[in-house]
């Protein structure tokens, strides 16, 4: 995780002082570290990203329904209103759409049945 912190700091620095190409390079480095971490945790990074996208989509659709799919009202919503709905959209219980689940010892990942 130290390497991830290092690459994150380099990305933050690049955003402040460097070109778009440098920022893109640092972002790529950070992604590479994340993929390497996933390998050590026995997680398929593409599966994890797909699951994160499903979670985001589900939450965003919840927000859209709260605004009755009125795009203008959604655009005018305050960040506080959107954050409140985003939190509301979180399920009370973790949904079983993640490609991996933590075992009780919190150190080992398993594939869901």
């Amino acid at each position: 995780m130290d390497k991830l912190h290092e690459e994150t700091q380099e990305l933050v620095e690049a955003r402040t002082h460097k070109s778009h190409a440098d920022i893109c390079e640092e972002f790529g480095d950070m992604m590479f570290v994340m993929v390497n971490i996933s390998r050590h945790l026995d997680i398929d990074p593409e599966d994890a990203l797909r699951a994160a996208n499903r979670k985001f989509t589900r939450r965003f659709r919840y927000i859209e329904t709260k605004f009755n799919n009125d795009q203008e009202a959604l655009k005018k919503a305050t960040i506080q209103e959107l954050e409140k709905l985003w939190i509301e959209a979180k399920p009370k219980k973790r949904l079983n759409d993640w490609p991996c689940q933590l075992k009780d010892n919190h150190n080992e990942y398993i594939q869901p049945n």
Side-chain angles (χ1 to χ4, degrees):
M1 294 296 174
D2 290 341
K3 188 65 176 169
L4 178 59
H5 180 72
E6 174 188 326
E7 293 299 340
T8 302
Q9 288 305 114
E10 289 178 10
L11 177 61
V12 168
E13 182 181 317
R15 286 189 66 213
T16 306
H17 305 292
K18 299 195 176 172
S19 70
H20 185 74
D22 291 328
I23 294 166
C24 185
E25 180 181 348
E26 294 303 338
F27 184 79
D29 290 350
M30 190 175 71
M31 288 181 64
F32 183 83
V33 170
M34 291 296 299
V35 170
N36 200 32
I37 290 169
S38 75
R39 183 176 59 86
H40 288 287
L41 296 174
D42 196 27
I43 296 171
D44 182 310
E46 291 180 30
D47 287 345
L49 184 56
R50 276 190 285 276
N53 283 335
R54 283 192 302 271
K55 179 175 74 171
F56 175 87
T57 300
R58 184 173 47 254
R59 290 181 187 170
F60 192 78
R61 285 186 181 146
Y62 175 85
I63 292 170
E64 286 179 318
T65 62
K66 289 296 187 177
F67 283 94
N68 296 318
N69 292 313
D70 180 349
Q71 294 299 312
E72 287 306 311
L74 184 58
K75 287 177 187 176
K76 292 176 183 174
T78 67
I79 191 70
Q80 293 82 9
E81 291 172 308
L82 295 173
E83 180 66 19
K84 180 179 179 282
L85 291 171
W86 188 260
I87 291 167
E88 260 181 43
K90 290 183 178 184
K92 302 296 182 228
K93 180 180 170 192
R94 180 178 296 276
L95 299 175
N96 197 19
D97 62 352
W98 285 90
C100 53
Q101 301 292 322
L102 269 176
K103 284 186 176 178
D104 288 341
N105 65 11
H106 300 287
N107 290 323
E108 200 171 12
Y109 284 84
I110 59 170
Q111 295 296 321
N113 296 331

